[in-house]
Amino acid sequence: QVQLVESGGGVVQPGGSLRLSCAASGNLDRLHAMGWTRQAPGKQRELLASITYDGITNYVESVKGRFTISRDSAENITYLQMTSLKPDDTAVYYCHAHLYSDYDRSLLGFWGQGTQVTVSS
């Protein structure tokens, strides 16, 4: 089984920066991609960024140029570097992993517990 643990959240002033980390453990041999998603109170869940096993990245337009997703494959850690943070970035941030099944190429999803990011003066 795959387990994910997020860290690095906290309280930061507008314009500040935070670096979130996601440590993955378990069998990751069939990993397709890692991603970061957030959910704020009263709002729908929003996919922010993803990175494939071979390093291809994708971002939602609202965070492009401010957030950077990266991965240390040797240590199985996925990062989300966030800069120029805004109050609207306040949310619980979740890390997720997507792996191919053992028998076909359908995807299985695994989610972390989440880490709170609060942007406030």
Side-chain angles (χ1 to χ4, degrees):
Q1 192 73 287
V2 174
Q3 295 185 1
L4 306 173
V5 180
E6 301 99 331
S7 62
V11 180
V12 64
Q13 293 182 344
S17 300
L18 281 176
R19 188 193 194 193
L20 306 182
S21 299
C22 173
S25 61
N27 189 353
L28 299 172
D29 292 343
R30 297 182 183 272
L31 180 67
H32 168 62
M34 301 290 299
W36 287 93
T37 293
R38 70 185 179 189
Q39 186 163 28
K43 296 185 178 181
Q44 292 186 339
R45 190 172 55 188
E46 181 182 27
L47 173 64
L48 302 176
S50 63
I51 182 168
T52 62
Y53 180 75
D54 54 352
I56 301 174
T57 59
N58 195 22
Y59 301 90
V60 68
E61 286 295 325
S62 62
V63 305
K64 190 175 297 183
R66 297 193 300 125
F67 292 9
T68 302
I69 188 171
S70 61
R71 182 168 182 266
D72 184 338
S73 59
E75 299 293 334
N76 290 323
I77 301 175
T78 303
Y79 302 98
L80 185 67
Q81 177 68 48
M82 306 184 295
T83 62
S84 301
L85 285 164
K86 308 171 182 179
D88 286 347
D89 294 320
T90 296
V92 178
Y93 285 70
Y94 298 91
C95 173
H96 43 98
H98 303 274
L99 288 77
Y100 294 108
S101 70
D102 292 339
Y103 304 103
D104 56 30
R105 294 187 66 81
S106 63
L107 289 172
L108 303 176
F110 301 87
W111 291 71
Q113 185 177 349
T115 184
Q116 176 71 48
V117 173
T118 301
V119 184
S120 176
S121 60

